Amino acid sequence: MIQGVQIDMLSSDRLSRMTSMEKIRLILDDVRQGYIVVLEKGLTPEEQGKLLETTMMEISPGGFSGIEIETYPSSGGSEGGLFSKLFGGGKSPAGRLMVIGPVDQLKMLTREKDRLIAWASAAQ
């Protein structure tokens, strides 16, 4: 039997047909099973916030320990500063690519403008 990590790559077409909560549930269900999830087009800032909020509610001692998440910034145009994001001064677009996995199996090593480097380990 092959040992390794399952990577689920989800197209933007598939995600565009889902509600925000369907996306979050799909991601969390996969990550809880030990899968690494790669989204062709990242979540919106609002969806990312809800994903983190839902994750925090599901963390349990000796069980689910949380998620590691990294995304490329949006391509083209300015995303605005911290204040515009906090106070709604323009809607930030979703990132170009998002990688999400179990915090105890996925470690982001480097994030550059055009490259993400990660280390993934098999579930224990």
Side-chain angles (χ1 to χ4, degrees):
M1 183 168 165
I2 296 175
Q3 295 287 338
V5 177
Q6 179 170 326
I7 301 173
D8 288 352
M9 299 180 194
L10 303 174
S11 72
S12 59
D13 289 341
R14 178 175 181 185
L15 294 174
S16 69
R17 295 188 303 266
M18 301 173 84
T19 67
S20 292
M21 281 312 297
E22 288 172 332
K23 292 176 199 177
I24 291 165
R25 193 72 263 148
L26 174 67
I27 292 165
L28 282 178
D29 288 348
D30 281 358
V31 171
R32 288 183 70 119
Q33 292 180 52
Y35 304 158
I36 307 297
V37 178
V38 179
L39 307 179
E40 178 182 13
K41 182 178 177 187
L43 301 173
T44 66
E46 294 80 16
E47 290 170 334
Q48 287 182 48
K50 189 64 177 171
L51 174 63
L52 294 174
E53 179 184 323
T54 305
T55 298
M56 295 305 289
M57 291 188 300
E58 294 188 13
I59 291 176
S60 63
F64 182 56
S65 55
I67 63 173
E68 175 81 15
I69 185 170
E70 189 61 70
T71 188
Y72 283 127
S74 296
S75 60
S78 171
E79 288 187 42
L82 175 64
F83 289 113
S84 67
K85 289 178 185 174
L86 288 175
F87 300 111
K91 191 171 184 173
S92 286
R96 294 183 292 165
L97 177 83
M98 183 174 281
V99 180
I100 308 161
V103 73
D104 54 352
Q105 290 177 247
L106 181 65
K107 173 80 173 134
M108 291 298 165
L109 301 176
T110 304
R111 177 181 181 254
E112 299 171 5
K113 72 174 186 141
D114 58 357
R115 177 170 88 161
L116 294 175
I117 300 174
W119 175 261
S121 63
Q124 303 175 13

